[in-house]
Amino acid sequence: AGTPLGERTELASLRELWKGTRWSRGMCAIGSIKSMIGHLLTAAGAAGMIKTLLAMRHGTLPPSLHFTRPAANSPLAGGPFRVQTEAAPWEVREPDLPRRAAVSAFGFGGINAHLLFEEFHPGPDAPAFSGPPATPEAAPRPEAIAIVGMAVHMGPLPSLQAFQEAVFNGRPAIRKRPPARFRGADAAAGAHLDGRGAFGAYLE
């Protein structure tokens, strides 16, 4: 969050979520990529996702910078969470238990999202993949999936229906950047984005 009120709210919510579960002090590592690269506004969620997937791939808990200790009234103190300040091996709790992680992105940049990740873990008894079945009859029956909600807001497309119509009609959501967006940052955008920052799926 980067603000005292935001930090307390998020940590209090996490502790409420873990209420009634068996936990030990500091058992769950938390961190923020913002401490390393700054606040990326609407790209913050994507950056956190990339960091988490790389951490899973390398089996390493990455550190967060510039943290020493929680404030005296912080929900972090004495709770199940700890800020990971040094890189450390990401050990699995049990041999057949995959690594899992949650990525949250909340803030004034327009991102309000929460994702859960679980690494692929076939287990010791999983059969080796030998290609698709020879006949449709041999294909295993897929498990039922319940779709409980769908929504899209992408640039000028404010709804799932608008997105669907744009896809079917070949109408792109990419457009020229609104004139007031990134005011004063044209020189930096031109230097670092190779001229590609003038167009995108920009939200009003």
Side-chain angles (χ1 to χ4, degrees):
T3 62
L5 178 58
E7 299 289 359
R8 285 197 302 271
T9 301
E10 291 179 24
L11 288 168
S13 298
L14 285 171
R15 290 197 64 159
E16 182 68 22
L17 179 67
W18 281 47
K19 184 182 291 184
T21 64
R22 290 185 298 174
W23 54 265
S24 57
R25 181 174 178 177
M27 67 177 292
C28 181
I30 62 175
S32 173
I33 194 170
K34 185 168 61 176
S35 70
M36 299 176 172
I37 60 176
H39 201 315
L40 296 187
L41 302 178
T42 52
M49 179 185 71
I50 292 169
K51 173 186 175 181
T52 302
L53 293 176
L54 286 172
M56 282 187 171
R57 179 178 181 180
H58 295 286
T60 301
L61 292 171
S64 288
L65 305 180
H66 313 301
F67 178 85
T68 53
R69 62 184 181 276
N73 61 345
S74 171
L76 189 64
F81 308 102
R82 72 179 191 279
V83 176
Q84 189 72 29
T85 56
E86 300 287 342
W90 189 347
E91 306 289 354
V92 294
R93 287 181 288 169
E94 298 176 17
D96 294 331
L97 190 65
R99 296 177 179 90
R100 298 187 177 104
V103 176
S104 296
F106 307 126
F108 61 86
I111 288 294
N112 291 280
H114 189 75
L115 295 174
L116 301 175
F117 292 96
E118 178 180 284
E119 68 176 339
F120 176 67
H121 191 36
D125 299 326
F129 179 72
S130 57
T135 62
E137 292 77 16
R141 185 172 181 177
E143 296 183 7
I145 298 176
I147 300 176
V148 297
M150 295 176 65
V152 171
H153 192 155
M154 179 179 178
L157 307 175
S159 66
L160 187 61
Q161 181 178 350
F163 178 78
Q164 180 184 28
E165 292 174 355
V167 170
F168 288 150
N169 295 322
R171 188 173 72 250
I174 304 300
R175 60 178 179 164
K176 189 170 179 60
R177 188 181 73 209
R181 192 67 50 87
F182 307 148
R183 184 177 300 164
D186 290 322
H192 297 290
L193 300 178
D194 195 24
R196 291 170 293 183
F199 291 87
Y202 289 100
L203 292 168
E204 288 295 345

